[in-house]
Structure formats: structure tokens, C-alpha cells
DNA sequence: CATGTTCTAGAATATTATTCTAGTCAAGCC
DNA sequence: GGCTTGACTAGAATAATATTCTAGAACATG
């Protein structure tokens, strides 16, 4: 674990370049930011920058991986609650939105790059991160599924159901289109998410009628709704 | 409405450039695609391209606006259902995912540019579109809110609750990370969304106990969850 | 201290967005 | 028909900027 001065210097330079890059990317736009700007902001020479990263795109990817890693840790920590899942889900959503609100630049950057076009290599690294994150979630939820507290669904969908609304909100909020109180949003989204994945009641026959018994019907009836939806023109 | 040959030629050229640009953007990446490639793919000269659009960025924005406009129409059409909101919401989600699956390139492009960094002007045009889209939704939902069928919420949140999960799913699906059957996803998401915004039962006291009565409690209790959430470290 | 490796600076190069110049073409007017 | 005007186009010229190259400094190690 001994870091000699070489390595210390190196990793500091790397970090300086990354930090400067994030600032430049957010200030001028990822595409518009120039190596010259990053060079100036970081104090490194262009040669040094290229030595460490190889291309501007590679800097962007490294930055993305850094951020995703950090966010994944935040979320993983929020998944500790083992008793009350409802509370746990609220914690996760709260943690996410809190992180977003405290790291606006960083969060916005992640949302921007998330769908950017990347090389095979880069994409597969990112896939890996996403896969792990999905697994974190699935592992956490499994006991609750087994106990019948929440619906059994493909792992892929849990992420969409749990993070979808929060992400959507964050995206618009960060761009300044929305102005709601974050605390309120947390509670509202947490409540909504909980309703959307929790199972009706225990083995209590005679469940409520209107809003909760539709599961199997909803899932099977109206065959091929994709073809019959009204807006399906084109 | 008479189009002289001049205008016909002009608008065809414009469209050719836009179409070619979308192809190039998706093939090489928005950033990586060059004017030269667009020139070749569209058959227009670089001079012509700049005459019509002024910059590569401007092409990207025009393309985005085009796509958003089309998608907005698809969604608006799906919001016709006036009787059964549950069905209506399913239609909307189905229409969205159907459109996405039938216009993958286009859909992916919209997701990519949605958060891209833009100039003041461009951003405000896009804000406008988003605002209108939010209004479409709010207007459609209002009667149902009045009748007490769904929760009363700030307009801003309806979009996140209704589109959030579908968008999240689409994002990952389009990048090829997920492989679920779209029909199944539509039903699942529609069901989840419905549960998350529909109101318990009518004025029927003695509602189910566990999963539906927590609204007010969920919203008020556990003050300031943002500060107390476990994952809130850093 | 000799030697190889990693890192850095800054100039040289290559790529690409953008601008400029000189036209072409259609449409209206005499 | 000729003439004029304005929109459009082609392709060369320019400028901005990513990337590569070369020489050397800083450091670790034997």
C-alpha cells in the first residue's frame, strides 16, 4: 500500500485533470469544451493530458465511471434497511435525490453521458456497472419478494420502477425546469413507488375491489394492447 | 398553400439533410459525425448545409425538435380516452413504448439530446416543448383529479410518475442492455403506474389496511427523511 | 551513479467545423 | 424574351482544435 512520490504525483495529476474536465464540461458543454481549456484549468500540458487519457472522449468516460461508482456506493448504502422495505425504498429515493441536489454538476453530467454514444469497450464497462447496480437492487429485494411483500418481477424492471420516476424528475429539475421542494418530492415519489410494487394485502381474501385486485387481469386481458393502443398511428 | 418549385426543392433539401444527419449521428455518434459525412449521405454540399442550418449543433437541435414534436403528437393522441383513466394510462404507455420500439434510432436520439448542453435560445425552445407536453398531461388528468379518481399532485410530478419508469426502461432497452418482451413490460408498467397514482377506494370507510391507507402518514411522518436517510453520507 | 521508466512540455500535424467567393437557378416584372 | 432580385449551391480557403511527436526532466531501482 506504499505510495511512492511518483505515484502520488501521478494520481494527483490524473485527478486534477478529471476535476478540471468536469468543470469545463459543465461550463462549456462536453462537446464544446476544448483540450486547451482543460489544459489551462488543470495546469497540465496537453502532452500530459494525452499521456494519461489518450483522448478527450476517454476523459469523459473516466469521469462517468468515477461518478457512477460513487453514486452506486451511495445507493448501496441506502439499501441497508432489512425490516421495513417501505422505509428502505424511501431511504433509497431520498439518498438519490439528496446526492443529486448536493452534486448537481456531477449528477447532470451522469445523466448526459448515460446515453452518449461510446465505443464497444467503453460501453461494455458501463454495462458492467449497470449490471452490478441491478444486482445490488435485486439482492436487496429478494427476501421481500420471498416473503410476498412485493410483486415478483424481472430484475430489469425493478430498477425502472424504483428509480424511473426519481431519475425523470432529477433530469428535469437539474435543467432548471422544475422548482418543487425536494423533501416533498421524496415523500411523494417514495409513496408512489411503494404503491406500485407492494403486494395487495396478506392472504386476506375479500381484498378491496377497485384499485388493487386488477393485477392478473391487468396483465393478461386486452390481448396485445400494443397493437390496439390509440396513439399507435404513425 | 401553393408551393412553388423553389420551396419544394428547398424543403426537400432541408429534409434530406436532417434525415442524413440522423443516420450519421446514430451511426458514428453525434459528436463524432462529421459534416463531411453528412454532406456525402445527404448529397448536399457543405455550403448548402451551412446555408440551411448554420452549424452542426443547429442541425442536432432541429432534429431534436422534429422528433419531440412527433412524439408529443403520438402521446397526445393516446390521451383521448375520457372514461376509463386506467385504460387511458395504459394506452399512453403503450403508445410511447410502441413508438420507441418502432423508431429506435429516433427514440435513442431524443434521449441523448434531451440533456445535452445547449445555448440559451435552444434550451428555451426545448423548455417550451416540455412545458406544453406537461400541460397536455395535466389537462387530460384534471377531470379525473376532480372526480377524486387519482391523487392531486403538482403537475410537474405527473410526468415523472407516468413517464418515468417507461423512459427509464426505454433508455436501457434501447442501448441493448435489456431483453424483455415489450408487451409484457407495457402491462407491468401500466399497472404499476396506475397503482401509484390512483386513489384508494371511493368514500368507503374501512378501506384495506396495509398497503393503501398510508398516504397521509407516508407524507407527513418521519420528518425530514432527507437528512436522516442512511445513504446520505458522502 | 547508471539505466530504464514514467511523465511532462510544447511544437508540429491532421482533422474538421466554419466562412467566403463565385456562381446557378427559379420567379416576378418590364 | 431580357433583366433583376433573392434564395440556394458548390467547392475552395480559413480557422479552430484534437491528436501525435520529439526531446528532455523527474523519479525509482539496482
Amino acid at each position: 500500500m506504499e505510495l511512492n512520490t511518483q505515484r502520488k504525483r501521478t494520481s494527483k495529476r490524473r485527478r486534477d485533470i478529471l476535476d478540471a474536465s468536469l468543470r469545463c464540461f459543465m461550463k462549456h458543454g462536453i462537446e464544446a469544451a476544448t483540450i486547451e481549456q482543460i489544459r489551462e484549468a488543470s495546469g497540465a500540458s496537453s502532452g500530459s493530458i494525452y499521456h494519461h487519457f489518450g483522448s478527450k472522449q476517454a476523459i469523459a468516460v473516466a469521469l462517468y465511471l468515477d461518478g457512477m461508482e460513487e453514486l452506486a456506493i451511495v445507493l448501496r448504502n441506502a439499501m441497508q434497511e432489512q425490516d421495513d422495505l417501505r422505509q428502505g425504498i424511501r431511504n433509497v429515493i431520498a439518498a438519490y435525490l439528496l446526492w443529486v441536489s448536493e452534486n448537481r454538476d456531477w449528477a447532470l453530467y451522469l445523466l448526459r453521458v448515460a446515453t452518449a454514444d461510446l465505443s464497444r469497450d467503453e460501453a461494455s464497462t458501463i454495462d458492467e456497472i449497470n449490471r452490478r447496480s441491478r444486482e445490488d437492487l435485486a439482492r436487496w429485494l429478494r427476501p421481500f419478494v420471498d416473503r410476498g411483500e412485493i410483486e415478483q418481477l424481472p430484475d430489469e424492471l425493478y430498477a425502472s420502477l424504483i428509480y424511473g420516476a426519481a431519475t425523470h424528475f432529477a433530469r428535469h429539475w437539474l435543467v432548471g425546469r422544475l422548482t418543487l421542494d425536494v423533501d416533498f418530492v421524496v415523500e411523494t415519489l417514495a409513496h408512489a413507488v411503494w404503491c406500485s410494487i407492494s403486494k395487495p394485502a396478506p392472504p386476506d381474501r375479500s381484498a378491496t375491489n377497485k384499485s388493487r385486485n386488477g393485477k392478473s387481469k391487468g396483465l393478461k386481458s386486452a390481448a396485445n394492447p400494443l397493437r390496439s393502443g390509440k396513439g399507435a398511428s404513425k
Side-chain angles (χ1 to χ4, degrees), chain A:
Chain A
M1 197 36 68
E2 176 231 354
L3 288 190
N4 50 31
T5 68
Q6 178 85 310
R7 297 204 172 184
K8 245 184 275 175
R9 225 178 18 133
T10 293
S11 83
K12 173 168 182 343
R13 186 70 347 152
R14 251 188 85 92
R15 183 111 298 277
D16 286 348
I17 294 173
L18 283 176
D19 291 346
S21 295
L22 180 59
R23 287 199 303 277
C24 290
F25 285 164
M26 296 319 290
K27 180 168 176 188
H28 309 283
I30 299 174
E31 185 153 353
T34 72
I35 293 289
E36 169 64 17
Q37 289 162 345
I38 294 173
R39 189 188 62 63
E40 190 181 330
S42 68
S45 68
S46 65
S48 184
I49 294 173
Y50 275 88
H51 170 76
H52 286 294
F53 295 98
S55 77
K56 188 178 138 185
Q57 168 105 324
I59 300 176
V61 172
L63 217 42
Y64 180 78
L65 295 180
D66 253 31
M68 284 302 280
E69 196 58 47
E70 194 188 309
L71 177 57
I73 291 172
V74 167
L75 293 178
R76 204 173 297 132
N77 284 339
M79 289 179 201
Q80 297 307 339
E81 174 69 61
Q82 299 298 330
D83 301 324
D84 183 355
L85 180 58
R86 177 172 194 160
Q87 182 65 35
I89 286 197
R90 217 227 338 228
N91 288 349
V92 169
I93 291 177
Y96 174 70
L97 287 178
L98 175 62
W99 186 82
V100 166
S101 69
E102 284 185 345
N103 302 275
R104 296 181 64 111
D105 269 10
W106 203 244
L108 193 46
Y109 180 76
L110 292 189
L111 287 172
R112 281 183 181 168
V113 176
T115 46
D117 21 55
L118 305 164
S119 74
R120 289 267 157 274
D121 257 13
E122 300 158 346
S124 76
T125 315
I126 289 181
D127 280 2
E128 180 60 19
I129 290 193
N130 275 73
R131 200 179 49 68
R132 266 220 303 280
S133 160
R134 231 175 23 238
E135 283 174 3
D136 283 346
L137 191 59
R139 192 174 315 114
W140 181 51
L141 296 179
R142 186 152 318 129
F144 300 97
V145 175
D146 292 344
R147 274 181 252 153
E149 293 185 29
I150 60 174
E151 306 282 357
Q152 162 111 48
L153 291 174
D155 286 356
E156 289 86 351
L157 285 183
Y158 285 125
S160 293
L161 289 175
I162 292 177
Y163 297 130
T167 306
H168 188 280
F169 172 79
R171 181 183 316 282
H172 289 258
W173 185 65
L174 285 170
V175 180
R177 290 199 260 264
L178 306 179
T179 55
L180 289 172
D181 170 55
V182 178
D183 280 16
F184 170 74
V185 172
V186 167
E187 297 310 325
T188 307
L189 296 188
H191 173 257
V193 166
W194 177 252
C195 292
S196 72
I197 64 170
S198 68
K199 266 203 173 156
D204 169 25
R205 302 303 186 107
S206 88
T208 4
N209 229 331
K210 190 163 184 185
S211 52
R212 290 302 315 198
N213 72 344
K215 179 69 196 307
S216 59
K217 172 166 172 293
L219 279 173
K220 304 294 182 184
S221 73
N224 222 348
L226 263 182
R227 310 302 151 197
S228 65
K230 283 194 180 176
S233 71
K234 156 73 203 211

